Amino acid sequence: MLKSFFYASQGFRYVVKHEQNMQIHLLVATVMIITAYFLNFPIYHWVLLLLVIAGMFALEIMNTAIERTVDLVTEEYHPLAKRAKDIAAAAVFVYCLFAVIIGCFLFIPAIMNWL
C-alpha cells in the first residue's frame, strides 16, 4: 500500500513539474485559498472551494494521463488521436468554466461584504 502512495506522488510530481496548465491551476488555487482565508469563508464555502479545487486537479491529472496514453499508442499524427486529446482537454475546459462560476458565487458576495 505504501508503494501505491509513492507511485501516486510520483505521478503528481510529474504533472506539476511538466504540465504548465497544472502549474497554473496550483497558482490559482493558492491565491483562492489565501483569499478565502482573509475573507473568513464559512465552513460550507471552504468545503465547496476545496471540492472544486480537488476536482480541477484530478481532471487535469486524468487529462495528462489520457494524453500520455495516446502518445504511447501512436507517434504519428492520427485524427482519432487528436480527437481523444481534444475531448480530454474539453472536459478540463468545461469543469474550469463551472469552477469559475462557482468561484464567483463564493467570492463576489464575500468581497462585497468585505468592502
Side-chain angles (χ1 to χ4, degrees):
M1 186 162 156
L2 287 176
K3 281 185 179 181
S4 66
F5 286 115
F6 174 72
Y7 296 140
S9 68
Q10 281 185 315
F12 186 77
R13 282 193 301 268
Y14 174 85
V15 173
V16 169
K17 184 175 180 181
H18 296 283
E19 292 297 316
Q20 181 180 13
N21 286 342
M22 187 61 166
Q23 294 166 2
I24 293 168
H25 295 313
L26 278 168
L27 175 65
V28 170
T30 301
V31 170
M32 295 297 99
I33 289 170
I34 291 168
T35 304
Y37 174 79
F38 284 111
L39 290 173
N40 201 24
F41 267 23
I43 190 70
Y44 54 91
H45 284 193
W46 275 107
V47 169
L48 187 55
L49 178 64
L50 294 176
L51 280 171
V52 169
I53 290 170
M56 189 77 257
F57 288 174
L59 203 50
E60 186 62 49
I61 291 166
M62 287 304 299
N63 180 47
T64 300
I66 290 168
E67 288 178 352
R68 295 303 169 274
T69 302
V70 169
D71 290 344
L72 177 66
V73 171
T74 179
E75 292 182 9
E76 302 171 7
Y77 173 82
H78 192 284
L80 290 177
K82 178 188 182 318
R83 185 75 60 216
K85 288 182 170 187
D86 290 349
I87 291 168
V92 175
F93 179 70
V94 167
Y95 191 91
C96 187
L97 287 177
F98 281 91
V100 168
I101 293 167
I102 292 168
C104 288
F105 283 131
L106 294 175
F107 283 95
I108 291 174
I111 291 169
M112 298 302 279
N113 286 337
W114 181 75
L115 293 175

